[in-house]
Amino acid sequence: MTKRILAVDDEPGILQLLKDYFEIQGYEVIEASNGTQVFEKLSQKPDLILLDVNLPGIDGFEVCKMIRDHVSCPILFLTAKVEEADRIRGFHLGGDDYILKPFSIDELGARVEAHLRREERKNEKKAVKIQGPLAIHYDERSVYYNGRPISFTRTEFNIVELLSSNSGQVFSKDQVYDRVRGYDGSGDSSIVTEHIRRIRLKLSSFTEKPYIETVWGVGYKWIG
């Protein structure tokens, strides 16, 4: 089945570049130049969203915040400049990756392909991990403790999924970033530390058990 990409950018030249490139690669491309058009075109059920941060009116961060609870597909931010604080904010809002402008169109294509491959693998997984009162539903992408839901962002759940489904295996920050982002994550691997901190904080509201262990100088592993 042809994958559908929603490309969002207020620069006509970039939109045309994205449309031409990805259609040649066999994708269907939906175009939007502002946040309002994004809301209108979500009904076409894109498999991935390329979202410019600096949109007129409602910026890309706000668009992501408004749509993330209603779409499960990967969201990749396109931006000319971004500070670490902005990256953290974008990931917390549910973004999956950052592509800096000017970008290599072939690298962007590789990242898109990698994210879509990961989505296919995720959708094939139909399993539940029960660890005492903790239940991780991989197919539903949900976590419960004694029947009470624990709310994780998309990226936080991706990390929980990776570590918990490979219990006891140690992953470095680079490996975690690469696996949950889907392509060449080493440049931003330090962001993993913040995600792990937030996961632990959310788990600590329900239990004192440290499900994620830090292996100093190496990385992280799931206990149990």
Side-chain angles (χ1 to χ4, degrees):
M1 181 180 294
T2 301
K3 297 294 185 182
R4 185 175 293 129
I5 296 174
L6 173 55
V8 188
D9 202 295
D10 65 330
E11 297 183 45
I14 291 181
L15 268 185
Q16 191 62 52
L17 171 67
L18 296 174
K19 180 177 176 62
D20 291 345
Y21 176 82
F22 284 106
E23 286 185 345
I24 289 174
Q25 301 302 314
Y27 297 95
E28 179 183 343
V29 180
I30 311 163
E31 299 173 75
S33 58
N34 57 59
T36 301
Q37 291 181 6
V38 173
F39 306 142
E40 295 170 351
K41 298 188 178 185
L42 286 180
S43 61
Q44 298 183 49
K45 298 181 179 179
D47 296 292
L48 181 141
I49 300 174
L50 296 173
L51 180 58
D52 183 27
V53 170
N54 297 313
L55 293 173
I58 308 172
D59 69 18
F61 287 141
E62 188 65 22
V63 170
C64 181
K65 178 181 178 180
M66 295 172 71
I67 69 175
R68 179 38 95 196
D69 287 342
H70 307 287
V71 297
S72 60
C73 70
I75 297 177
L76 282 61
F77 288 116
L78 304 177
T79 181
K81 183 180 179 182
V82 64
E83 302 295 332
E84 181 178 359
D86 292 321
R87 291 200 303 271
I88 292 174
R89 178 188 176 199
F91 291 144
H92 287 173
L93 291 174
D96 294 279
D97 210 346
Y98 273 95
I99 312 298
L100 293 179
K101 297 179 180 179
F103 49 76
S104 160
I105 192 66
D106 289 326
E107 178 182 351
L108 176 59
R111 286 179 181 267
V112 166
E113 183 181 356
H115 280 285
L116 289 173
R117 280 201 310 267
R118 189 182 188 286
E119 286 298 293
E120 290 179 353
R121 292 196 298 270
K122 180 199 75 178
N123 291 334
E124 290 173 357
K125 183 180 292 185
K126 302 292 182 182
V128 178
K129 181 182 181 71
I130 305 296
Q131 194 171 342
L134 186 74
I136 304 171
H137 295 253
Y138 297 113
D139 54 341
E140 298 177 4
R141 294 182 60 79
S142 57
V143 180
Y144 299 87
Y145 193 89
N146 281 331
R148 298 166 58 198
I150 306 176
S151 178
F152 291 112
T153 67
R154 176 189 178 84
T155 300
E156 289 166 1
F157 182 85
N158 287 346
I159 293 174
V160 170
E161 178 183 36
L162 171 66
L163 297 180
S164 65
S165 61
N166 296 278
S167 185
Q169 181 176 343
V170 180
F171 291 88
S172 69
K173 287 192 294 185
D174 285 347
Q175 288 175 319
V176 172
Y177 190 92
D178 186 57
R179 294 282 290 274
V180 302
R181 294 293 173 197
Y183 179 81
D184 189 19
S186 59
D188 289 301
S189 63
S190 61
I191 202 72
V192 170
T193 303
E194 174 65 14
H195 286 307
I196 293 289
R197 185 190 69 81
R198 291 176 63 86
I199 292 169
R200 285 170 166 163
L201 182 63
K202 291 179 179 181
L203 287 169
S204 70
S205 297
F206 293 83
T207 175
E208 295 181 356
K209 181 174 180 178
Y211 287 97
I212 298 176
E213 179 180 298
T214 299
V215 181
W216 295 107
V218 183
Y220 305 98
K221 70 176 180 179
W222 190 269
I223 304 172

